[in-house]
């Protein structure tokens, strides 16, 4: 079975501070991991995916198969990063995307 | 082009009534998903369509929930005899199915269902 765990429901940091949103998963096969973001009054949208190995809006995430983690990081948080972040998993070539419970990030001025 | 469109945006209904939620996916997107977003519950998978067929409907919480898709496009999620615990935001998403490459989901704005 696929399972995604985001241990922090709420995370608050100050502007300019580093931020890390934790994501752990359980899946026995070859997973594909994603981070989706929902800004206030906007629809849920893709932030980044591990196979692209890209940095979006200063965020990066590295898939650690040994620790089964896909933590989202940004060295210097900005107020506009305040949003709900969801980690999601699917199997390679699969169809069903399983989401975590989400982390509400607040970046204070 | 236009994104995923859902209607109505808000629905208030009395307990015991039936409701229908509609989703218009992005043109050309063969895969369509329904999720439920509840406070503190995250995003709960309900059902997935590939074309008009539903190879994975394992997330439907009870037999009061059903969904269909016609013409490989519009989908309707029906909830019969609504209960208060059905109150949530129902999200629809679609994506291009490229086989081994998992293209991203494009979400609609959702339908906020309130059962009184």
């Amino acid at each position: 079975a696929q399972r995604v765990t985001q241990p922090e429901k709420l995370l608050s940091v100050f502007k300019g501070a580093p931020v890390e949103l934790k994501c752990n998963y359980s899946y026995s096969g070859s997973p594909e991991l994603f981070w989706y973001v929902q800004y206030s009054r906007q629809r849920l949208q893709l932030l980044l995916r591990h196979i692209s190995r890209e940095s979006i809006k200063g965020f990066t995430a590295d898939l650690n198969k040994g620790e089964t983690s896909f933590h989202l990081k940004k060295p210097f948080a900005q107020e506009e990063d305040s949003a709900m972040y969801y980690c999601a998993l699917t199997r390679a070539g699969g169809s069903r995307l399983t989401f975590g419970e989400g982390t509400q990030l607040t970046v204070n001025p | 082009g236009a994104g995923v469109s859902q209607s109505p945006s808000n629905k208030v209904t009395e307990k015991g009534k039936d409701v229908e939620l509609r989703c218009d996916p992005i043109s050309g997107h063969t895969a369509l998903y329904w999720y439920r977003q509840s406070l503190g519950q995250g995003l709960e998978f309900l059902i997935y369509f590939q074309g008009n067929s539903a190879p994975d409907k394992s997330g439907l919480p009870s037999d009061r929930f059903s969904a269909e898709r016609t013409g490989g496009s519009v989908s309707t999620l029906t909830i019969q005899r609504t209960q208060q615990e059905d109150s949530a935001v129902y999200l629809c998403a679609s994506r291009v199915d490229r086989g081994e490459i998992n293209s991203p989901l494009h979400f609609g704005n959702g339908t906020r269902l309130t059962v009184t």
Side-chain angles (χ1 to χ4, degrees), chain A residues 9 32 34 36 38 41-46 49 51 86 90-102, chain B residues 3-5 33 35 37 40-43 45 48 56 58-59 91 95 99-105 107-109:
Chain A
K9 283 187 164 46
E32 289 192 24
F34 305 79
Y36 279 78
Q38 187 168 27
R41 291 183 293 277
Q42 294 187 29
R43 59 185 69 192
L44 193 61
Q45 59 187 287
L46 177 69
R49 48 195 302 192
I51 62 172
Y86 292 94
T90 187
R91 64 177 174 83
S95 56
R96 175 173 175 167
L97 200 60
T98 299
F99 286 84
E101 293 184 1
Chain B
V4 176
S5 177
Y33 300 74
Y35 284 86
Q37 187 178 34
Q41 299 294 322
L43 280 162
F45 169 82
Y48 153 70
D56 188 351
S58 61
L91 291 173
R95 69 179 181 92
E100 290 299 311
I101 301 173
N102 270 302
S103 53
L105 294 182
F107 282 86
N109 279 322

Side-chain angles (χ1 to χ4, degrees), chain A residues 5-54:
Chain A
T5 303
Q6 293 179 250
E8 302 142 328
K9 283 187 164 46
L10 301 172
L11 183 62
S12 184
V13 300
F14 285 103
K15 176 182 173 181
V19 62
E20 180 179 69
L21 290 85
K22 291 184 167 53
C23 172
N24 289 90
Y25 66 91
S26 62
Y27 181 65
S28 57
S30 181
E32 289 192 24
L33 277 297
F34 305 79
W35 277 97
Y36 279 78
V37 61
Q38 187 168 27
Y39 300 102
S40 179
R41 291 183 293 277
Q42 294 187 29
R43 59 185 69 192
L44 193 61
Q45 59 187 287
L46 177 69
L47 179 62
L48 56 78
R49 48 195 302 192
H50 90 270
I51 62 172
S52 300
R53 298 184 181 276
E54 58 199 345

Side-chain angles (χ1 to χ4, degrees), chain B residues 26-102:
Chain B
I26 293 172
S27 178
H29 282 194
T30 55
L32 185 147
Y33 300 74
W34 283 98
Y35 284 86
R36 182 165 67 176
Q37 187 178 34
S38 306
L39 196 61
Q41 299 294 322
L43 280 162
E44 178 187 6
F45 169 82
L46 298 178
I47 189 169
Y48 153 70
F49 285 93
Q50 178 59 37
N52 290 335
S53 64
D56 188 351
K57 56 179 78 171
S58 61
L60 294 177
S62 75
D63 58 7
R64 296 186 296 105
F65 287 72
S66 63
E68 65 175 14
R69 189 180 184 193
T70 55
S73 180
V74 173
S75 176
T76 303
L77 177 69
T78 301
I79 309 173
Q80 295 178 308
R81 306 180 301 282
T82 52
Q83 303 295 312
Q84 288 186 331
E85 60 262 29
D86 299 335
S87 297
V89 176
Y90 289 82
L91 291 173
C92 177
S94 69
R95 69 179 181 92
V96 173
D97 192 338
R98 296 177 180 151
E100 290 299 311
I101 301 173
N102 270 302

